[in-house]
Amino acid sequence: MKELSQSVSYDVQDGVAVLITNNPPVNTMSYHVRQGLVDGLEEADKDGDVRAIVLYCEGRTFFAGMDITEFGNPDVPEAPGITDVIKKLEGASKPVIAALHGTPLGGGFETALGCHHRVAVPSAKMGLPEVKLGIIPGAGGTVRLPRVVGVQAALEMMTSGNPISAERALSAGLVDEIVDGDLLSGAIAFVQKVASADEPLARIRDSDEKLQAARTNPEIFDVFRKSIARKTRGFKAPEAIIQSVEGAVRLPFDEALTNERRIFVECQKSPEAKAQQYFFFAERQAKKIPDVPKDTPTRGIEKVGVIGAGTMGGGISMNFLNRGIPVTIVEATQEALDRGIGIIEKNYASTAKKGRITEDDVKERMSLLTGALDYQALSDVDLVIEAVFEDMDLKKTVFRAIDEICKPGCVLASNTSYLNINEIAAVTSRPQDVIGLHFFSPANIMRLLEVVRGDETSNEVLATCMKLGAHIGKVAVVVGVCRGFVGNRILGARMRQSDDLLLKNAMPQEIDAVVFDFGFPMGSFAMRDLAGLDIGWLGDETPDKDINVRHQLCTRGRRGQKTGGGFYDYESGSRTPIPNAEVEQIIQEVSKNAGVTRTEISAADMLKRMIYAMVNEAAKILDEGIALRAAAIDVIWVYGYGWPTYRGGLTYYADQIGLTNIVEDLDRFSTEYDDPELEPAPLLRQLAREGKSFQDFVRQDHFEA
Ligand code: 3HC
Ligand code: NAI
């Protein structure tokens, strides 16, 4: 074995040169990897004893792509680039095979496509996820992939960025063989056969048969554009991918590669790419808890109890059933239990109807679900999640009861949206086992999980819940105790501004348009129509009825989408909000009753008031230590509320605007609107004064432990 660089070594086994890369953790194609591969290929080419070449990676995966931290880093030598490596691979005079395991992604998968053959272990998952980083595959992916799988399938794979299984790759012609046993031996055996056959080398570049359909039917591109328009609104990279594939169809191979490179470089420079790449690392940072080391022991969660089979309890249960974890749901009445279980079954049936799961899956999942009317049924579960009404006294009663019944070591969690976990924990004899697990609605679909750490919550319980969250496919983020935690507390700040704008300045459609155009899926008023205006409405008990728009709407039967109208009208079967003249009239009257003279406001100022109020709340949250770092807030807003990732995240966005500019605007607004909430938070002022950003801010007490 010969070392070619710090990460690549060279070995010859039975006449086959094996280029072995070891660049933990995920074998990114760093500079020294590229250099090692180039040197190895030259060596193998010269070596008369070598008939074929294998690219093999040690550790958890074949190359997971380029090292994102190298992008734009002037200290990293440009040559050899990844395209140089692939050119050498494809042009090698001896057959080259890629031995795939783990997650061959991005530049890693493009490298494999530059080889003459590919074999993979059954568990490998491969693809081109560059779109998620705001860029396009820039090492031949947009030119080679359509030559193998056709234009439509290539566009789908690259604009979604989702990986495919080895089995699918095999049927799509992307891998030649699945290796069940030892991967390296399988790859060597395969390439030896190829070398013995003495046939022309199989280079993807040599065939363009699969492009013919798009050449004769170029409308395929516009049809595809339309099909992804709603999902990709605001993102630049999906369109750039389409244009690069158009180039692959139109241009000769090498010119298409040059065209791809040009588009790649343009994307890479865009603010969207920078924001999305920031978010990639933010997501990974947010998982880390400074005083809870990686090796903190965790508890096994093999059986789960859920209390309350309502909107949240049902969805929460499905997460566990989907992972084969048995669930016991306890309800207050048989009727509520039957209804809750019925909804879960209906949800599964509809997923099966869409072909996403089988009838057998439905049966299996439902067989793991048990209903009960007595907390005693929870005596042997490892975790209980309470999801009863949002009422502190009720929650305390429930926790007192389960404290009596649940076995020692059982994790006791509440799904409360706003209430104080410490207060709930205090009624039990084991506050160290109590935690908040704040799922978002619909709980079986939304990825975010706020893990609320109480004052007494043990590290073991916290680590257990973080691990469990990942196991059920959630993005788990630790937050501290305060009203509404991180997500809903910041949402509250935006809501109060939109309500104030409604009272003083603008109509729902104007305010919502600003939020929608910014990149959110919908605005505050459309969101309230979706949730139902009567949630939390006090009816006759409502104070100041004359100046309360919601009350006025509810009393007129306008309670949201479910009644055909709320702040907006909805046509039957449609969720598209339609402005309503009567609603506008009601709003005008409410302003009059409140003695407010309505004034014009620009869309830009509306946006600033709503977003900067959120930024201000984020600063308070950080200062209080409710979020461990700014990145956590960004992750919560992306996964819980649809913040557009091409804007990075709330605090990232604020940093781009500049905190000094934000403080200036907030000062102006707080005076103009006489609103103390718009008064810049002390931390925001301090960071602005010191010329710092949110990303610079680290709370020492969290990070010194
Ligand atoms: N560049 C730099 N660092 C990377 C990286 C990359 N491409 N991929 C992963 N890492 C780092 C992570 O930040 C993390 O670091 P940390 O331990 O310090 O937090 C570490 O590697 C492990 O990553 P994960 O925690 O994400 O590990 P998982 O096992 O959960 O996931 C993975 C592994 C599926 C490979 C996932 O990391 C991933 O999806 N990575 C990105 C893959 C990708 O996007 N590749 C394309 C890159 S762009 C490209 O190749 C351009 C080309 O077209 C020219
Ligand atoms: P829901 O009203 O749909 O369901 C609550 C269920 O609890 C009802 O089925 C009720 O019969 C049952 N219940 C009441 N008392 C009980 C008791 N003593 N024992 C057993 N079951 C009992 O309420 P939803 O929306 O599911 O909310 C539940 C909790 O989740 C609340 O704390 C809420 O704040 C929180 N939450 C709600 C979200 C939402 O969007 N609906 C989002 C995130 C959290």
Side-chain angles (χ1 to χ4, degrees), residues 528-565:
R528 282 192 232 180
D529 275 357
L530 182 64
L533 294 188
D534 48 359
I535 292 187
W537 173 50
L538 299 175
D540 273 350
E541 308 295 308
T542 307
D544 303 326
K545 297 187 183 70
D546 288 352
I547 55 168
N548 185 321
V549 176
R550 174 175 65 170
H551 179 80
Q552 296 302 326
L553 293 175
C554 282
T555 50
R556 286 168 173 82
R558 300 190 65 94
R559 298 187 182 184
Q561 278 192 26
K562 61 186 176 190
T563 60

Side-chain angles (χ1 to χ4, degrees), residues 304-322 325 327-331 336-348 365-366 369-370 385-388 415 439-446 472 474:
V304 172
V306 172
I307 306 180
T311 311
M312 294 307 287
I316 291 170
S317 302
M318 291 173 76
N319 287 294
F320 297 101
L321 301 174
N322 296 349
I325 301 172
V327 175
T328 301
I329 299 198
V330 179
E331 250 296 347
L337 183 62
D338 293 345
R339 192 182 51 229
I341 292 182
I343 292 174
I344 295 178
E345 192 158 20
K346 222 170 89 190
N347 279 340
Y348 278 140
R365 290 172 201 198
M366 289 309 293
L369 181 62
T370 314
I385 304 175
E386 164 279 309
V388 302
N415 181 51
F439 289 80
F440 286 69
S441 180
N444 54 321
I445 292 172
M446 294 293 287
I472 59 171
K474 299 293 172 194

Side-chain angles (χ1 to χ4, degrees), residues 198-444:
D198 202 23
E199 280 176 3
L201 292 175
R203 300 188 309 172
I204 290 175
R205 63 176 291 143
D206 294 338
S207 161
D208 66 356
E209 228 172 88
K210 287 274 171 73
L211 305 180
Q212 290 308 337
R215 282 190 183 134
T216 51
N217 178 20
E219 311 82 74
I220 182 174
F221 290 105
D222 277 342
V223 172
F224 187 78
R225 274 189 179 95
K226 280 200 192 103
S227 75
I228 61 163
R230 208 171 64 89
K231 249 189 167 161
T232 59
R233 182 173 68 95
F235 288 89
K236 293 268 167 63
E239 172 58 23
I241 288 171
I242 297 174
Q243 287 181 15
S244 192
V245 176
E246 280 177 325
V249 167
R250 196 181 62 239
L251 302 167
F253 186 86
D254 287 321
E255 281 177 42
L257 283 186
T258 309
N259 183 52
E260 177 194 76
R261 197 73 203 162
R262 180 186 55 78
I263 299 175
F264 171 84
V265 171
E266 246 170 54
C267 280
Q268 179 53 27
K269 281 194 245 160
S270 70
E272 289 82 2
K274 293 199 169 67
Q276 287 176 254
Q277 287 165 29
Y278 154 80
F279 189 71
F280 175 83
F281 290 109
E283 217 181 318
R284 279 150 185 85
Q285 253 189 5
K287 285 187 205 158
K288 295 175 186 154
I289 315 168
D291 61 334
V292 181
K294 252 187 169 175
D295 56 0
T296 303
T298 55
R299 300 181 190 169
I301 305 291
E302 269 142 38
K303 277 187 184 172
V304 172
V306 172
I307 306 180
T311 311
M312 294 307 287
I316 291 170
S317 302
M318 291 173 76
N319 287 294
F320 297 101
L321 301 174
N322 296 349
R323 285 302 253 152
I325 301 172
V327 175
T328 301
I329 299 198
V330 179
E331 250 296 347
T333 64
Q334 188 65 47
E335 198 194 339
L337 183 62
D338 293 345
R339 192 182 51 229
I341 292 182
I343 292 174
I344 295 178
E345 192 158 20
K346 222 170 89 190
N347 279 340
Y348 278 140
S350 106
T351 314
K353 222 172 161 186
K354 289 180 198 144
R356 294 203 202 122
I357 54 173
T358 64
E359 292 298 335
D360 283 348
D361 292 332
V362 178
K363 275 193 205 126
E364 197 189 314
R365 290 172 201 198
M366 289 309 293
S367 75
L368 293 171
L369 181 62
T370 314
L373 295 174
D374 190 341
Y375 297 139
Q376 205 63 48
L378 304 176
S379 62
D380 67 341
V381 299
D382 305 302
L383 160 71
V384 176
I385 304 175
E386 164 279 309
V388 302
F389 305 129
E390 186 78 342
D391 173 327
M392 183 53 104
D393 289 338
L394 176 60
K395 297 216 188 247
K396 283 183 176 168
T397 309
V398 170
F399 272 77
R400 275 193 203 99
I402 55 177
D403 185 29
E404 292 287 320
I405 286 162
C406 293
K407 65 183 185 190
C410 173
V411 176
L412 308 181
S414 173
N415 181 51
T416 179
S417 314
Y418 291 94
L419 301 176
N420 187 318
I421 295 292
N422 293 327
E423 210 180 316
I424 296 174
V427 304
T428 71
S429 62
R430 36 177 144 176
Q432 74 282 359
D433 290 340
V434 177
I435 194 163
L437 288 180
H438 183 210
F439 289 80
F440 286 69
S441 180
N444 54 321

Side-chain angles (χ1 to χ4, degrees), residues 25-26 28 60 64-68 71 103 105-107 110 129-130 133 137-138 280-281 284 288:
V26 296
T28 51
R60 47 204 248 213
M66 294 298 283
D67 181 341
I68 305 164
F71 290 160
T103 47
L105 295 173
E110 291 174 293
E130 284 87 343
L133 300 169
F280 175 83
F281 290 109
R284 279 150 185 85
K288 295 175 186 154

